Amino acid sequence: MIQSKYQWLAKDNNNKIESSLIKEFNLTPMMSQVLESKGFTSRETIEAILSSSDISHSPEALSDMTRATERIHKAIQKQESILVYGDYDADGVTSTSILVDALEQLDAHVNWYIPNRFSEGYGPSEGAFRNAYDEGVQLIITVDNGIQGHNEIDIANELGMDVIVTDHHEIGDTLPNAYAIIHPMHPNFDYPFQYLCGAGVALKLAQNLLKEIPSEYWIFAMIGTIADLVSMTDENRYIVKKGLSLINEKTPVSIQALLKQASFDEVITEETIGFLIGPRLNAVGRLEDAGLAVELLRTKEKDEALFLAEQVEYFNNERKNIVQAITEEAMTMAKTYIEKNHQFLVLAKEDWHEGVLGIVASRIVETFNLPTMILNIDHTQSHAKGSARSIAQISMYQALNNQTHCIEKFGGHHMAAGLTLSIENVDALRNGLNEWMKASYHSKDLKPVRHVDAVLDITDMTIDNIQSIERLRPFGSDFEKPTFRLNDLSINQVKSIGQKKNHLKLVFNEQSLQGLYWNNGTLAQELMVDQNVDLIGELQVNEWNGYQSPQIIMTDIQSKDRQILDYRNKNKKLPQFDRNVSYLIHPSEDKQNEHEYYYGEPIPNSYEKCVLRDLPLTIEDIQTSLKQLNASQVYLVFQHQYSVYFDGMPKPELFKKCYKALYQKGQTNLVEDGVKLSRYLDIKPNILKFILKVFLDLELIVQKDGLISIAATTEKRTIESSRIYQARLHRIEVEKTLLYQNFSMIKSWVEDQMVHEN
């Protein structure tokens, strides 16, 4: 049995798409199932997904848009100095690039500024605002930040500067005292779509400032929308569709340079942006000054773009290396705390780079499905600072809010948070969070959830069906890439792939479907050919040498059947097990721990795995163990030092011939006469040793000082009555049954022995 990592939940899709709409929009059954699962069943909602028509709302419907536009035109007319104050992530640098270019097109006297993540943090900085005043700035326009900058904006006002806030983040209880606030969720305005990203808001302002906006603005807004994981519906969907269309028609030199660094030359999709472009733009701000990313996006020169992209790539590679190093350390630390039954992982260490701790926390959560906090210990600042990531069932905000006595400051939401605290309080926070978890969630199932859009049969896995799903792109938040479930797939091939063998490749049902499971190569040790599994994942068409075939990228797998796994080959190593495994060993071996049992001993039902490490003495011994065994995975190893099966049992005539030879010799010196006797009997020396052991057991011979002679006995005994003889019979039967049958036969035999009530 293989346990799934997630709960697989089918979405309620009681509302079906009418047949007339299926025909009107030419929907395949697979497309219909996906749309129904996501709740898009009316003509309007289906058209919004499939159509490329304009869903762009009027910029003037945004809060304070007219007031902000008038103030900007006034600043341009008076040649006032304008500062665009951005943010260090991909949304922030694309927002900055859009608005700075729009103002330059209007001949504004404009400059831009990206705060440093480490020295200034997120949002308006008092020091930066005061420096702007000293440099003669009269108007500050924030992009992708500012809605929480109450104090800094008040200071700007006191200095005589106006501040226009353009933002999309959560609004607090009060609004800052800005000259204008452009925000899709402004409480006093009713913009038709509330979930624009920062670049989307900057795009709307640019639309209101210019008669016609360049295609790059749509492309940058598309990048910001995808990278910031905002809702892929309504206006955002239109921005992304239009941006993707434009970037594939004419890719800006900056994006060309980034894609060249990534060795990518295919059609650009939302996945290209999400996995290649966004992380690279983010990497700079995670490690250094994100201004480099703005410079790259703004350049129109190919050579300069290539030069800047090389620097961005350097930071991206450095970011990967740092993440990998910290993740490895954090994984080891996490396992230690899990062994102590911690349910909330608080992992802290000196010299962990603060810019990547959120990424590391996410990886720990993905691995262990426990809320996780990663902290850097900074002794020079006398504080610990880091990021936390949660699981769906646990509110990170609620968890940290419950421990405010340990925390200097924190901010966040249900799934993520950032925080700072005194180093002395790290242990107290760890203990407090774990006590809170145990008290609040002891009886709750914390297993993560994956929603399944449709259950498919393997016959549904056609190229046409899979390609029809492409019509539903782009995918993203609130319209995720569909997850499909397939049941009872028979494994035809199984192997680990990749340079480090860390990925799993399965071929199902006579090679009609291939499955890939990234970073799960160790499962190859637990899966066998002909085993049936259920799985969930995303569909794609695999292309190789001009040949197309259906493929599923697995996100989870399970098998309800008990697994009998063949590890009798000495070259096949057992997996690295957790503690929930028992071992059956030979009675001649000393037990090394409480998880080892002799064949025939009772084994607790708590073990999920059992390794039949050694050969048993008799078939009856292993049958006794198997009949009481309740493990879902049974590993057949049967290690042994020697084999007797192929030598078999000597015939009775051979025993008689040997006895007669010993009798005639009177006394036999094994050292001197052993080889001669073996040759005379035409047997191997080890067979001679066995025959002599039987004779000794039956007291037919005596051995003294290396000399063998016939015993003076009148009692008649049969060879078969020897316990040595019987032990060899048992050993031959054991080897025949457990070692030398083909796996399908021994698997069936083991399963038959284990038929009992679980």
Side-chain angles (χ1 to χ4, degrees):
M1 180 181 295
I2 295 180
Q3 294 284 352
S4 62
K5 295 180 181 178
Y6 302 95
Q7 299 179 62
W8 303 354
L9 299 183
K11 296 180 181 179
D12 294 330
N13 54 350
N14 294 327
N15 293 329
K16 301 293 183 181
I17 300 174
E18 295 178 1
S19 57
S20 59
L21 294 178
I22 292 175
K23 185 175 181 180
E24 177 182 343
F25 290 103
N26 192 26
L27 303 178
T28 65
M30 195 178 288
M31 290 176 68
S32 298
Q33 284 181 280
V34 170
L35 289 169
E36 288 168 353
S37 171
K38 298 182 183 300
F40 294 82
T41 56
S42 67
R43 172 179 278 103
E44 293 74 18
T45 56
I46 296 173
E47 188 169 20
I49 293 297
L50 297 177
S51 174
S52 297
S53 58
D54 193 340
I55 316 177
S56 184
H57 306 299
S58 170
E60 294 182 350
L62 276 163
S63 60
D64 289 348
M65 179 62 81
T66 301
R67 180 175 170 83
T69 303
E70 290 175 352
R71 178 66 183 88
I72 291 169
H73 283 304
K74 178 183 176 182
I76 293 170
Q77 290 169 2
K78 296 177 67 175
Q79 285 295 294
E80 292 179 347
S81 179
I82 302 173
L83 177 69
V84 175
Y85 186 95
D87 186 32
Y88 41 70
D89 67 0
D91 190 18
V93 298
T94 51
S95 305
T96 303
S97 301
I98 290 170
L99 191 55
V100 170
D101 191 85
L103 293 171
E104 286 179 343
Q105 293 214 29
L106 294 170
D107 295 325
H109 181 53
V110 60
N111 208 332
W112 52 271
Y113 182 83
I114 304 291
N116 185 282
R117 175 192 291 265
F118 309 104
S119 60
E120 297 173 280
Y122 169 76
S125 160
E126 179 181 340
F129 277 22
R130 289 189 181 278
N131 287 338
Y133 171 75
D134 292 340
E135 292 174 3
V137 170
Q138 293 158 289
L139 175 63
I140 297 175
I141 307 174
T142 70
V143 289
D144 193 33
N145 74 95
I147 200 63
Q148 298 292 341
H150 296 64
N151 179 61
E152 293 78 9
I153 291 172
D154 286 342
I155 290 172
N157 292 336
E158 292 171 6
L159 294 172
M161 296 184 293
D162 289 333
V163 180
I164 295 173
V165 170
T166 76
D167 201 354
H168 73 110
H169 292 94
E170 290 289 336
I171 298 174
D173 295 334
T174 60
L175 293 168
N177 189 27
Y179 183 89
I181 298 175
I182 303 176
H183 197 297
M185 290 185 284
H186 196 293
N188 300 330
F189 291 79
D190 189 20
Y191 189 68
F193 182 66
Q194 296 190 336
Y195 305 108
L196 294 170
C197 69
V201 177
L203 176 73
K204 304 308 290 186
L205 178 55
Q207 283 181 314
N208 212 51
L209 289 170
L210 304 174
K211 292 181 180 179
E212 186 175 347
I213 61 173
S215 61
E216 284 87 352
Y217 295 9
W218 290 102
I219 292 171
F220 292 161
M222 173 267 295
I223 293 172
T225 299
I226 294 171
D228 219 48
L229 303 177
V230 290
S231 178
M232 191 63 73
T233 58
D234 200 271
E235 188 166 16
N236 283 344
R237 190 169 187 81
Y238 175 70
I239 290 171
V240 170
K241 277 192 172 183
K242 183 161 185 173
L244 287 173
S245 174
L246 291 169
I247 200 172
N248 281 293
E249 287 177 10
K250 185 179 180 182
T251 308
V253 293
S254 57
I255 307 303
Q256 286 181 31
L258 284 176
L259 293 176
K260 183 176 181 180
Q261 291 295 321
S263 301
F264 182 89
D265 60 356
E266 302 172 27
V267 174
I268 300 171
T269 69
E270 71 273 22
E271 291 180 336
T272 314
I273 304 301
F275 292 109
L276 295 182
I277 300 300
R280 282 168 167 77
L281 295 177
N282 277 321
V284 185
R286 289 188 182 279
L287 302 185
E288 293 288 341
D289 181 1
L292 172 63
V294 178
E295 292 177 14
L296 171 61
L297 291 176
R298 285 177 41 74
T299 188
K300 301 292 191 292
E301 299 296 326
K302 183 176 180 180
D303 289 342
E304 183 181 14
L306 291 171
F307 172 72
L308 294 172
E310 285 179 3
Q311 296 180 60
V312 170
E313 188 68 13
Y314 167 79
F315 285 115
N316 187 52
N317 289 330
E318 186 70 9
R319 186 264 307 170
K320 289 180 182 178
N321 293 334
I322 293 171
V323 167
Q324 182 64 27
I326 297 177
T327 299
E328 288 176 0
E329 292 180 337
M331 286 286 185
T332 302
M333 206 178 290
K335 291 174 183 176
T336 301
Y337 284 115
I338 289 171
E339 288 177 358
K340 298 177 182 178
N341 296 317
H342 282 220
Q343 292 181 294
F344 197 119
L345 300 176
V346 178
L347 312 176
K349 191 174 183 292
E350 194 174 358
D351 295 329
W352 277 355
H353 199 295
E354 292 175 11
V356 301
L357 298 186
I359 300 174
V360 176
S362 295
R363 294 194 178 179
I364 301 297
V365 171
E366 289 171 6
T367 302
F368 299 108
N369 187 46
L370 293 173
T372 300
M373 181 184 298
I374 308 291
L375 298 170
N376 174 55
I377 303 295
D378 188 341
H379 287 289
T380 59
Q381 299 290 328
S382 298
H383 69 215
K385 186 177 181 183
S387 297
R389 297 292 183 269
S390 194
I391 58 178
Q393 298 91 328
I394 308 294
S395 168
M396 184 59 70
Y397 182 87
Q398 182 184 0
L400 297 186
N401 198 47
N402 190 264
Q403 303 293 322
T404 52
H405 56 285
C406 295
I407 303 172
E408 293 178 11
K409 63 177 181 178
F410 81 94
H413 49 81
H414 185 90
M415 294 298 291
L419 73 159
T420 303
L421 69 154
S422 170
I423 296 173
E424 290 75 22
N425 286 340
V426 171
D427 288 339
L429 178 60
R430 180 184 293 114
N431 295 334
L433 287 169
N434 274 282
E435 289 300 319
W436 176 79
M437 280 287 291
K438 290 175 184 176
S440 304
Y441 293 92
H442 178 70
S443 61
K444 297 185 179 181
D445 183 8
L446 299 180
K447 192 171 185 179
V449 170
R450 280 296 175 101
H451 290 285
V452 176
D453 291 280
V455 179
L456 304 178
D457 187 86
I458 196 166
T459 57
D460 298 321
M461 302 294 291
T462 65
I463 302 299
D464 289 342
N465 271 343
I466 296 174
Q467 288 178 337
S468 73
I469 299 298
E470 297 295 304
R471 290 180 56 202
L472 301 178
R473 284 184 180 274
F475 300 114
S477 297
D478 295 332
F479 195 75
E480 292 83 1
K481 194 170 185 179
T483 295
F484 297 96
R485 175 172 179 168
L486 290 99
N487 296 325
D488 294 322
L489 295 180
S490 177
I491 297 177
N492 184 263
Q493 295 178 26
V494 54
K495 64 179 177 179
S496 53
I497 60 172
Q499 224 172 10
K500 298 180 179 179
K501 303 296 182 183
N502 54 332
H503 307 303
L504 177 69
K505 178 182 177 182
L506 300 176
V507 179
F508 302 104
N509 296 60
E510 298 180 359
Q511 305 188 28
S512 63
L513 175 65
Q514 177 175 283
L516 298 176
Y517 199 1
W518 306 125
N519 300 312
N520 280 273
T522 55
L523 273 177
Q525 298 173 307
E526 301 183 37
L527 295 167
M528 307 295 288
V529 171
D530 295 330
Q531 181 178 343
N532 284 358
V533 295
D534 306 333
L535 56 86
I536 60 172
E538 299 172 353
L539 305 183
Q540 63 177 215
V541 176
N542 179 43
E543 296 193 25
W544 179 255
N545 288 337
Y547 175 75
Q548 293 183 325
S549 60
Q551 180 170 271
I552 183 163
I553 305 301
M554 295 180 282
T555 51
D556 203 5
I557 188 170
Q558 69 178 16
S559 174
K560 297 177 182 177
D561 299 330
R562 176 181 283 118
Q563 292 173 274
I564 311 297
L565 302 161
D566 192 3
Y567 279 79
R568 295 175 296 171
N569 187 326
K570 293 180 180 180
N571 295 324
K572 195 171 183 181
K573 294 184 179 180
L574 285 168
Q576 291 292 324
F577 292 119
D578 55 24
R579 294 174 297 168
N580 196 16
V581 58
S582 60
Y583 296 83
L584 285 173
I585 66 173
H586 195 276
S588 65
E589 300 290 334
D590 292 331
K591 294 181 180 179
Q592 301 299 314
N593 55 60
E594 69 275 17
H595 305 299
E596 293 186 346
Y597 300 86
Y598 295 127
Y599 283 99
E601 287 187 337
I603 302 173
N605 288 338
S606 57
Y607 290 107
E608 293 179 0
K609 301 177 177 69
C610 182
V611 176
L612 308 190
R613 194 191 74 183
D614 302 330
L615 274 177
L617 286 175
T618 69
I619 289 297
E620 288 74 18
D621 287 344
I622 189 174
Q623 285 175 322
T624 301
S625 293
L626 292 176
K627 287 186 185 303
Q628 62 182 336
L629 194 61
N630 202 40
S632 60
Q633 290 183 340
V634 179
Y635 293 79
L636 309 183
V637 180
F638 300 136
Q639 66 183 21
H640 54 285
Q641 293 182 343
Y642 64 92
S643 174
V644 302
Y645 175 73
F646 292 107
D647 288 334
M649 181 65 78
K651 294 180 179 180
E653 292 78 12
L654 192 57
F655 283 94
K656 293 177 181 178
K657 187 176 181 180
C658 181
Y659 184 83
K660 184 177 180 180
L662 294 173
Y663 182 84
Q664 291 174 343
K665 180 74 172 173
Q667 281 192 334
T668 303
N669 187 322
L670 274 183
V671 175
E672 296 177 358
D673 302 324
V675 174
K676 294 178 182 178
L677 184 56
S678 295
R679 289 174 179 171
Y680 169 71
L681 298 173
D682 194 22
I683 57 175
K684 297 177 181 177
N686 61 315
I687 298 296
L688 176 60
K689 288 181 182 179
F690 166 69
I691 292 174
L692 296 177
K693 285 182 180 180
V694 172
F695 288 164
L696 284 169
D697 182 49
L698 294 174
E699 298 180 350
L700 297 175
I701 62 174
V702 293
Q703 182 177 12
K704 186 177 181 181
D705 300 329
L707 297 176
I708 292 176
S709 58
I710 300 299
T713 178
T714 58
E715 185 179 351
K716 190 172 183 180
R717 298 177 181 176
T718 63
I719 297 298
E720 291 80 1
S721 65
S722 166
R723 105 188 132 74
I724 301 295
Y725 185 95
Q726 290 299 320
R728 187 179 183 92
L729 280 178
H730 286 303
R731 177 59 181 255
I732 291 172
E733 182 186 17
V734 165
E735 291 186 17
K736 177 183 178 182
T737 304
L738 303 180
L739 291 182
Y740 301 117
Q741 288 192 99
N742 63 54
F743 178 64
S744 62
M745 292 181 68
I746 188 174
K747 178 174 180 287
S748 298
W749 185 87
V750 171
E751 288 172 341
D752 288 343
Q753 308 308 310
M754 295 182 70
V755 174
H756 59 277
E757 292 295 326
N758 291 337

